[in-house]
Each structure stands twice: as C-alpha cells, then as structure tokens.
Amino acid sequence: MRDTKLTDAELRFAEIIWANAPLKSAELVRRCEIALKWKKSTTYTMLKRLEEKGIFRNEGGSVMAVIGKEDFFSEQSKRFVAETFEGSLPKFVAAFTRSKKLSQTEIEELYRLIEGHKGDS
C-alpha cells in the first residue's frame, strides 16, 4: 500500500467492494449507481485510484481486494499511533482513556489482547 489514506468517498466505495468482493465490475457499477448515485465513469475512475493505492485489483472484469478491510484498518491504526503518539501504544491508551472510562469488559478484553501478544513486535 503506497498511499493508504482514503477520502470519505474512497472509503464508502471501498466498503462496497469489501462487502461484496469478488464481484464483476458491471455489478460494482450497478451497486455504486444505487448506493452512491455514481455514473459508470466515476466508478471506474475511483476503482483505478484505489488500484493505484494497492488496495483493489480489477482483472478480466472481476474486482477483488488485494488488502482486506481488517488488514487495511490495522495498518491505519498502526500509522496513526506512530504519527500521533511516537509509536507508543501506552500513550495512545492514556490519551484515549482521559476522556472515556473503560468498562470492566473492555479492561478484561485488553488484558486478553496483551496476554495473547506478549513477545510480538
């Protein structure tokens, strides 16, 4: 993924593909016409843009995800923490919890995540 930041329109478009991939490009055009009120040319322009970003691929009229939704947002989260909190997850959690108290369920879930990822980099 070269440029992984998406505009609101790109994200709405990506959500359609992730929810339905793989799908024929004609079906994507139809879905975008209904959901986004886009013309065929707009859909293909947007698809080309996200292909250049390395997120989707259109081969032989079939559109597929190169990067899944979860992997995409995982990468976005890592970049956000790196750029905003000097790569420090504890600094991020501290900032997040300044304005929002964690429930007991959330705390237990964080403990499970930490235990499951000890030693990972």
Side-chain angles (χ1 to χ4, degrees), residues 6-17 32 35-36 38:
L6 298 181
T7 66
D8 289 341
E10 288 172 335
L11 185 56
R12 289 192 326 264
F13 179 73
E15 292 283 359
I16 291 170
I17 298 174
C32 289
L36 305 172
W38 286 358

Side-chain angles (χ1 to χ4, degrees), residues 66-86:
V66 173
I67 298 166
K69 180 178 179 178
E70 292 79 15
D71 290 337
F72 175 81
F73 284 110
S74 174
E75 186 62 31
Q76 292 294 298
S77 299
K78 284 189 254 180
R79 283 193 178 187
F80 176 75
V81 170
E83 292 170 3
T84 311
F85 298 96
E86 302 168 353

